């Protein structure tokens, strides 16, 4: 992992670092660039006058041996028009710098971009974003590759962020602390998501959870298939019937609220299908491999619990991982089966590939026992959500406007966006069944919403939000497939926001 720190010290203290600083299109130098220009007796401004850099957003110019300067390299970055500069330009610059560092040996950076003012975004935000973007660009999953690239000594390993105002250092250090936990959490979620389904089995997941059992303020409770049977979680159990691995529902309880264990918890439920073949309603084989990512919701919840523990958040949080595998066998559940859910409501299975809602409905009913403050489920639930929102926004449905607004805000702050879909009564009739209380599919129109409506039937006793991350949990380009770790950033921001309300 890259080391991050903040300083307001002079650049001369960092002779072995590459200074990164900017210039606008109007050739309007940053204060720090101006300083370097003075030290180098006008070398920089003379280069700019001769057209070496126009200052367009993310244009770069790497300089070695600048006259009279002690630092080994300077990277000048174009920042566009001063009046147009916004948070998205900032993100673009950081991404460009990181990509450049993969190609050119820049080992240590002293970054001056925090002197750029962005309306509505402070240095805390800039630091967190920098950390997240750098780690995202440098992420590799090579556990199963024989040729692991080990460029450790020759590649970027430290970023020092220069904060001009010494008074801000405290807040910026907190940003580094929060950022480290979050980027670590994102990496955990990605690694888990990227694991192949013959390794990342339900048992493997449980082992990961058990690793947390010695943490302070944490208790682990594993609901196994036998217990599910006793409780009546028949919808959940049905989905796992065709698999060699028994369904399992690990629960991670974290008590961090200063007023004690009785304060109503925030409950997070993650869909954890370690593989979704579709069951008897089998999926087509094209891209079926990607259904190893169908546990990304659970991976996100697991990562969030680790972040909460590491940051000692002053909240009570319960993470429920709804784990099982949807396979085909003579023991599989079938289209036509009627299942009695934990709530008592009956469901007619019309498609065994709509399995996510079947595990989640029982997990949602199970969550009632905690008398939760809010419940948020995170699930790679519907292909329809990918069609509706593409790969940039996760779908959000909620029975509470306040909760939805808080999640939308956290999405905007973290740039891990969500978009609200209507959870309206009118969709409910698409789930009508001739012989049970409801069916498990509502047809193609509004497929993401009818899935949300299905869950809503089981989530009426508390404030609840549903995040459909089918389009955002992983990317699948032509030659690049990877879990994204989304929405770890969004949910950590939500929890951090909740934490500061309380203290
Ligand atoms: N895990 C899938 C959803 C999915 C599909 C996510 C493709 C990302 C890409 C889910 O279990 C599923 O199969 N949903 C069905 C529901 C349908 C049968 C009502 C779907 O979306 O096709
Ligand atoms: Mn499915
Ligand atoms: Zn699924």
């Amino acid at each position: 992992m890259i080391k991050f720190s903040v300083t307001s010290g002079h650049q001369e203290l960092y002779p072995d670092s590459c200074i990164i600083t900017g210039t606008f299109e109007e050739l309007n130098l940053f204060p720090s660039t101006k300083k370097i220009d003075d030290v180098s007796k006008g070398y920089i401004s003379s280069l700019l006058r001769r057209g070496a850099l126009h200052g367009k957003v993310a244009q770069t110019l790497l300089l070695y041996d600048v006259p009279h300067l002690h630092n080994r390299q300077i990277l000048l970055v174009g920042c566009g028009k001063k009046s147009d500069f916004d948070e998205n330009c900032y993100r673009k610059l950081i991404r460009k710098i990181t990509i450049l560092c993969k190609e050119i040996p820049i080992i240590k950076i002293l970054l001056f971009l925090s002197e750029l003012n962005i309306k509505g975004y402070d240095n805390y935000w800039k630091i967190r974003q920098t950390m997240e973007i750098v780690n995202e660009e440098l992420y590799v999953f090579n556990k199963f590759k024989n040729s692991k690239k080990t460029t450790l000594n020759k590649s970027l390993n430290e970023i020092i962020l220069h904060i001009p105002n010494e008074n801000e250092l405290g807040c910026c250090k907190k940003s580094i602390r929060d950022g480290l936990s979050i980027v670590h959490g994102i990496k955990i979620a990605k690694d888990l998501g990227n694991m192949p389904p013959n390794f990342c089995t339900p048992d493997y997941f449980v082992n990961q959870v058990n690793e947390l059992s010695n943490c302070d303020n944490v208790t682990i409770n594993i609901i196994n298939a036998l217990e599910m049977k006793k409780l009546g979680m028949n919808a959940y159990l049905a989905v796992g019937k065709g698999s060699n691995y028994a369904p399992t529902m690990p629960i991670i309880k974290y008590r961090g609220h200063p007023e004690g264990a009785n304060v109503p918890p925030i409950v997070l439920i993650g869909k954890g299908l370690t593989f979704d073949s579709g069951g008897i309603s089998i999926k087509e084989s094209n891209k079926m491999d990607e259904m190893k990512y169908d546990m990304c919701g659970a991976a996100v919840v697991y990562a969030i619990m680790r972040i909460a523990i590491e940051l000692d958040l002053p909240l009570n949080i319960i993470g429920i991982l709804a784990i099982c595998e949807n396979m085909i066998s003579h023991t599989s559940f079938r289209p036509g089966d009627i299942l009695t859910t934990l709530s008592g409501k009956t469901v007619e299975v019309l498609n065994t590939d709509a399995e996510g809602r079947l595990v989640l409905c029982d997990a949602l009913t199970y969550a009632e026992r905690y008398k939760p403050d809010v419940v948020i489920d995170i699930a790679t639930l519907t292909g329809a959500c990918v069609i509706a929102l593409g790969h940039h926004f996760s779908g959000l449905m909620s029975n509470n406007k306040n909760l939805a607004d808080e999640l939308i805000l956290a999405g905007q702050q973290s740039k891990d966006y969500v978009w609200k879909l209507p959870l309206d009564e009118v969709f409910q009739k698409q789930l009508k069944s001739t012989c049970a209380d409801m069916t498990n599919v509502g047809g193609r129109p509004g497929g993401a919403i009818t899935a949300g409506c299905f869950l809503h039937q089981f989530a009426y006793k508390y404030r609840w939000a549903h995040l459909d991350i089918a389009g955002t949990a992983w990317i699948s380009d032509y030659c690049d497939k990877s879990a994204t770790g989304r929405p770890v950033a969004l949910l950590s921001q939500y929890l951090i926001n909740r934490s500061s309300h309380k203290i």
Side-chain angles (χ1 to χ4, degrees), residues 271 276 283 291 294 351 353 355 380-383 441 470 474:
K271 171 177 172 183
D276 175 16
K283 288 183 181 294
M291 282 301 117
D294 211 18
N351 190 321
D353 198 11
E355 84 299 337
T380 47
L381 204 62
T382 64
V441 291
W474 73 91

Side-chain angles (χ1 to χ4, degrees), residues 251-267:
I251 299 175
I252 309 161
K253 285 188 208 167
Y254 164 72
R255 286 174 315 271
H257 201 287
E259 282 157 41
N262 289 332
V263 176
I266 296 168
V267 176

Side-chain angles (χ1 to χ4, degrees), residues 215-229:
C215 298
D216 285 346
N217 301 322
V218 172
T219 38
I220 307 282
N221 182 8
I222 315 274
I223 310 291
N224 61 25
L226 193 71
E227 215 157 328
M228 288 187 197
K229 181 103 195 93

Side-chain angles (χ1 to χ4, degrees), residues 229-247:
K229 181 103 195 93
K230 280 192 215 146
L231 287 164
M233 300 175 71
N234 301 308
Y236 196 136
L237 283 170
V239 174
K241 273 177 66 187
S243 169
N244 271 332
Y245 302 100

Side-chain angles (χ1 to χ4, degrees), residues 276-285 288 326 328 335 351-353:
D276 175 16
S277 68
I280 294 196
S281 317
I282 191 170
K283 288 183 181 294
E284 63 162 320
S285 44
M288 201 206 268
N326 189 15
I328 310 167
N351 190 321
T352 61
D353 198 11

Side-chain angles (χ1 to χ4, degrees), residues 434-493:
T434 49
C435 47
D437 296 339
M438 65 191 102
T439 65
N440 75 329
V441 291
R444 279 167 58 90
I449 300 172
T450 50
C453 283
F454 180 94
L455 297 179
H456 191 198
Q457 296 284 325
F458 302 87
Y460 54 93
K461 292 201 177 156
Y462 40 67
R463 303 199 292 150
W464 160 77
H466 158 58
L467 295 174
D468 192 333
I469 58 166
T472 53
W474 73 91
I475 44 161
S476 140
D477 290 345
Y478 165 64
C479 57
D480 190 12
K481 244 182 228 189
S482 175
T484 60
R486 289 182 66 183
V488 169
L490 158 79
L491 289 169
S492 355
Q493 190 59 51

